[in-house]
Amino acid sequence: MGTTSIKPLRSSVWAPRPQIAPRISGTVDSVMRVESNGSKGCYGGFELFYPPGEAGDHFHFSVKVRWKELLHGFESLSAELDWVDALGWASLPDWEETEGWVTLSNHLENPGGASELSVKLLLRWSPTGVVEWKEPTLVPAKAPPPRPIRLGAGSVSLFPRPQSIQDNIERLLRACRRAGDQGIQLLCLPEVALSYAISPQPGDDPYKHSVQVPGPELEPFREVAREYRMATCFSVLEREEELLYNTAVLIDEDGEIAAKYRKVHLAPPGESWAGTTPGHEWVVAPIKTAGARVGMNICMDSSQEESARCVARLGAEICLLPIMGDYRATAHWRPVPHNFDIMRWMMIHQMRAMDNQMYMVVSRNNGVGTGIFAPDGTTLVMDGGGQPIVHADVDLNNLQRVAMTFKEKQWYTRRESVYGVLAGERLPQIDERW
């Protein structure tokens, strides 16, 4: 397929109504300048129209932009694409800085039924400032190749009850081999998996059951990962000098420790009273299989919606969640064996997956609820208590499209500049004092 740039059929000035229309100058063949008219609601710019091609045709669109003195910075400019007379809208989520300009781009697919492709290049919601656009480029493209990956989530039997870290290592290694025999390529196992359920002794300090990362306890898991070409993740109690962390370790297909994530939200009061220190940053790492970008949360992190949102914001396509349980999955909080509502549990993880448009791979210590949840809000597979390992085959390039790419709309409509209330704005703003 050729890559000759497709010329626009025509261009015009666009605004919802004259009172908020910006001042326009320049042309599509030079620089398209859009300047605020002084209104807080100023909204408008250039609209370009292209031939749509045929249903199923793929294209790549890019445009360069620069701006100054906008009230909300980058949020006060917008590039939107619409398949006229068809159900299909897109933004330009990919960006790269090049010699003082930012290049915005996206891969497009004709949904069928379109009479034209419309591209709006706009200034929005700023009483000040200028946006300049140049070099809009539409070229034919190939359909993205499939990116298949087999995801797995697992638990381990606790009977007989483990007496040592070594007992848990042996159980987890058996689970890893079962997963490898099933062709799983990315496996999530439970929380604090090496120390979980070890019978406590009077006065036991959790630090006693901690390990170093990397350390000898992880070596057999690295060997199994290499043997099966299977990336693996689970959470451990990690020690670093006097500190104790709840740490998720991601071992890649080569047996290397690709990343470790220290739990940000500790479960009160037990973890903090036990002397655990929280982590302070989110981690997303690539693995070779399908070029997948993998983020991690741990248990209590799931109760804070920002946890999944942060790793998604960093580009995670898959979020691995080692977890013991969730107090929200109970109709009434009582510590009794049969007070677990599987429907509430599914709803929690389905919404995390859908809201952030990534696969949630959830591994619960007691098995029940261990499962894989898709970006379209469905449960792909889940353990009801009888399957130690469950898996699902997914294509990371085949996120469900409903009228538009939901993931693009999700991120496009976010306005992070006004989220200060979630980013410390409500904390006491007081100078240091004794």
Side-chain angles (χ1 to χ4, degrees):
M1 184 177 292
T3 56
T4 303
S5 179
I6 300 169
K7 298 297 182 182
L9 299 170
R10 64 188 187 281
S11 64
S12 62
V13 172
W14 180 90
R17 57 183 184 274
Q19 297 92 329
I20 59 172
R23 293 187 284 270
I24 302 294
S25 60
T27 69
V28 68
D29 296 317
S30 57
V31 174
M32 295 169 280
R33 181 180 172 92
V34 186
E35 184 176 359
S36 177
N37 70 349
S39 169
K40 290 186 294 185
C42 184
Y43 194 98
F46 286 82
E47 184 171 21
L48 316 181
F49 294 89
Y50 291 87
E54 304 295 328
D57 285 351
H58 289 255
F59 303 91
H60 184 269
F61 182 82
S62 65
V63 65
K64 292 181 179 178
V65 63
R66 65 182 181 184
W67 62 94
K68 62 180 180 180
E69 299 174 359
L70 297 179
L71 179 61
H72 300 294
F74 184 75
E75 285 185 3
S76 288
L77 61 92
S78 173
E80 301 182 43
L81 300 88
D82 182 54
W83 297 96
V84 180
D85 298 323
L87 292 175
W89 172 97
S91 62
L92 298 179
D94 302 324
W95 62 273
E96 180 181 1
E97 286 195 69
T98 52
E99 299 177 349
W101 294 77
V102 174
T103 300
L104 305 177
S105 63
N106 197 3
H107 184 99
L108 310 171
E109 180 182 356
N110 185 329
S115 59
E116 292 180 303
L117 172 64
S118 160
V119 178
K120 290 182 174 69
L121 305 174
L122 311 174
L123 179 152
R124 60 180 186 173
W125 312 324
S126 179
T128 59
V130 177
V131 181
E132 292 187 338
W133 304 89
K134 73 173 184 177
E135 300 176 21
T137 305
L138 180 71
V139 296
K142 294 181 179 179
R147 295 169 59 209
I149 184 170
R150 178 166 287 188
L151 303 175
S155 188
V156 293
S157 171
L158 297 177
F159 302 100
R161 192 180 184 95
Q163 299 301 309
S164 65
I165 287 178
Q166 188 57 41
D167 284 350
N168 276 328
I169 289 175
E170 292 172 4
R171 294 167 195 241
L172 287 162
L173 286 173
R174 287 195 292 270
C176 288
R177 293 188 179 280
R178 284 196 298 270
D181 289 339
Q182 294 176 32
I184 289 170
Q185 296 168 295
L186 175 59
L187 173 67
C188 183
L189 291 170
E191 185 181 15
V192 292
L194 300 188
S195 54
Y196 183 69
I198 295 175
S199 298
Q201 302 299 316
D204 242 359
D205 181 350
Y207 192 90
K208 172 184 175 182
H209 302 297
S210 64
V211 301
Q212 292 181 308
V213 180
E217 293 85 358
L218 298 180
E219 287 305 309
F221 298 99
R222 298 177 66 180
E223 292 175 10
V224 169
R226 282 190 290 267
E227 178 184 350
Y228 286 97
R229 303 295 301 164
M230 177 180 67
T232 306
C233 173
F234 50 87
S235 149
V236 300
L237 290 179
E238 179 200 9
R239 67 175 180 269
E240 185 179 74
E241 297 179 344
E242 79 282 9
L243 301 179
L244 182 67
Y245 297 99
N246 186 343
T247 300
V249 181
L250 177 63
I251 301 170
D252 69 16
E253 309 94 324
D254 296 322
E256 300 300 321
I257 295 178
K260 65 179 182 180
Y261 158 72
R262 290 167 170 169
K263 186 177 183 180
V264 168
H265 300 103
L266 300 182
E271 280 192 292
S272 52
W273 287 2
T276 308
T277 299
H280 303 288
E281 61 183 345
W282 306 103
V283 176
V284 174
I287 59 173
K288 291 180 179 178
T289 304
R293 291 185 55 79
V294 180
M296 292 169 281
N297 286 178
I298 303 172
C299 201
M300 193 70 192
D301 285 328
S302 177
S303 295
Q304 311 300 330
E305 61 187 21
E306 292 85 359
S307 306
R309 180 56 52 94
C310 284
V311 296
R313 190 72 178 90
L314 292 172
E317 300 167 293
I318 301 162
C319 182
L320 307 178
L321 179 63
I323 186 170
M324 288 192 193
D326 194 315
Y327 63 91
R328 295 169 299 167
T330 59
H332 304 283
W333 179 241
R334 300 188 189 97
V336 296
H338 302 295
N339 192 35
F340 180 76
D341 187 330
I342 196 68
M343 298 305 295
R344 293 167 70 97
W345 172 267
M346 282 196 296
M347 178 180 66
I348 290 165
H349 302 298
Q350 288 168 343
M351 291 306 299
R352 286 285 177 268
M354 186 166 65
D355 278 353
N356 297 292
Q357 286 295 283
M358 61 184 177
Y359 290 92
M360 293 293 301
V361 183
V362 180
S363 296
R364 191 171 180 229
N365 291 71
N366 76 351
V368 178
T370 290
I372 300 169
F373 305 85
D376 64 2
T378 58
T379 298
L380 297 181
V381 64
M382 192 171 65
D383 177 13
Q387 296 174 274
I389 304 289
V390 294
H391 69 261
D393 294 314
V394 306
D395 177 358
L396 297 178
N397 272 348
N398 192 31
L399 291 177
Q400 183 178 3
R401 292 173 178 265
V402 181
M404 61 197 67
T405 303
F406 182 74
K407 186 171 186 176
E408 289 178 21
K409 187 176 184 182
Q410 184 81 343
W411 291 115
Y412 176 81
T413 55
R414 283 177 60 78
R415 299 194 55 216
E416 296 186 13
S417 66
V418 300
Y419 298 158
V421 68
L422 297 178
E425 201 173 77
R426 293 291 299 275
L427 294 175
Q429 303 298 313
I430 301 173
D431 294 335
E432 290 185 14
R433 59 191 64 189
W434 294 98

